[in-house]
Amino acid sequence: MTKLLNYLWRGWMILLGTVLTLTLGIPVLILSVRKEHYKYAYKFIRIWCFGMFFGMGFRYELIKLTTKKIEKDRQYVFISNHTSLMDVMLPCLLMPNHPLCYVGKKELVKIPIFGTIYKRICVMVDRSSAKSRAEVYRRCAERMKEGQSIVIFPEGGVPDDTTILLDSFKDGAFILSSKHKVPVAIFTFVGLKEMFPFDNSKGHPGKVRVYFSDILEPTNSAPELKTVAYQEIKKVLENPV
């Protein structure tokens, strides 16, 4: 019975996502044609994220572990752990004043309708191609020049082994920060691994805990930034407040 309810719940997500994408996709596509209008397209993207997240029965609590504040007129590289599809919605919910550009996998372009919008608003990467991975830095730099902040899940994907608490980090987010002198804002999402896993037969609505750990100022050492960021997120996952 529980599995049946989960499949029905996932079916509701597909229906909800289709309706929201068809309704909000047109203004997003129109407003993202001109780079200077992306901030307006972002408002519709946030509505889509609100609809998907809360429409699936989720809510969140923001827990601040630092007194540092995200400045409205400053760009950032936002990072977090990645365990669920719903992780993608949270940065948009949290950041009303920072139009975001996600670095995401190329395979999502294949999703009908959604893929067209995704291609317009994200920097796509083919992880099997060294050329594609290198191109990401140039394209992210362009987006930052246009006033956007970057969202990267530094694990590079969700590990198949669900026992892994936090997979090793890729270098991209920290090279961007170091090279372009953009601070790294560190978030940790707790709860979605159980509430909305990639196993369609499992999951349930509930409250996600979002921990805002720190803002790392850019340094000349990307490996140092990566090490500190990894330790901050792992510390929260091991002992969430």
Side-chain angles (χ1 to χ4, degrees), residues 64-190:
K64 296 181 180 180
L65 303 178
T66 176
T67 57
K68 297 177 184 177
K69 295 183 179 180
I70 293 174
E71 299 174 26
K72 185 176 180 180
D73 299 319
R74 196 176 187 191
Q75 291 167 289
Y76 296 84
V77 175
F78 293 100
I79 67 165
S80 79
N81 56 316
H82 191 25
T83 58
S84 167
L85 179 63
M86 287 293 157
D87 292 336
V88 178
M89 318 298 170
L90 279 166
C92 278
L93 302 187
L94 295 165
M95 296 300 141
N97 301 313
H98 295 79
L100 300 177
C101 170
Y102 286 73
V103 175
K105 56 185 180 181
K106 188 177 181 180
E107 292 83 352
L108 294 181
V109 174
K110 298 176 183 178
I111 301 175
I113 303 174
F114 173 84
T116 303
I117 301 169
Y118 176 80
K119 185 165 56 175
R120 184 75 65 82
I121 65 176
C122 297
V123 170
M124 296 169 294
V125 57
D126 179 357
R127 296 192 181 99
S128 64
S129 167
K131 181 179 179 181
S132 176
R133 295 196 302 270
E135 182 71 4
V136 165
Y137 298 116
R138 182 188 65 80
R139 295 183 62 196
C140 283
E142 289 177 354
R143 293 298 189 99
M144 287 189 287
K145 287 179 181 178
E146 294 166 12
Q148 298 171 33
S149 290
I150 305 297
V151 176
I152 298 181
F153 297 107
E155 292 170 274
V158 179
D160 294 328
D161 184 353
T162 57
T163 65
I164 295 175
L165 184 66
L166 184 66
D167 208 354
S168 58
F169 281 3
K170 305 296 188 291
D171 296 330
F174 312 102
I175 291 175
L176 277 174
S177 171
S178 180
K179 184 175 180 180
H180 298 285
K181 303 306 176 187
V182 178
V184 177
I186 305 172
F187 289 84
T188 307
F189 305 149
V190 175

Side-chain angles (χ1 to χ4, degrees), residues 1-57:
M1 186 62 179
T2 302
K3 284 188 177 182
L4 175 60
L5 290 174
N6 269 286
Y7 284 123
L8 290 173
W9 186 45
R10 300 286 178 140
W12 162 245
M13 181 191 72
I14 294 172
L15 177 60
L16 178 63
T18 300
V19 171
L20 288 172
T21 302
L22 289 174
T23 305
L24 300 169
I26 293 175
V28 170
L29 286 173
I30 292 172
L31 291 169
S32 60
V33 170
R34 297 178 66 88
K35 298 172 183 178
E36 60 269 28
H37 292 162
Y38 181 78
K39 60 184 178 181
Y40 304 114
Y42 182 63
K43 295 181 184 296
F44 289 95
I45 294 168
R46 291 191 74 234
I47 294 171
W48 186 90
C49 289
F50 268 97
M52 288 298 298
F53 191 82
F54 291 103
M56 286 299 292

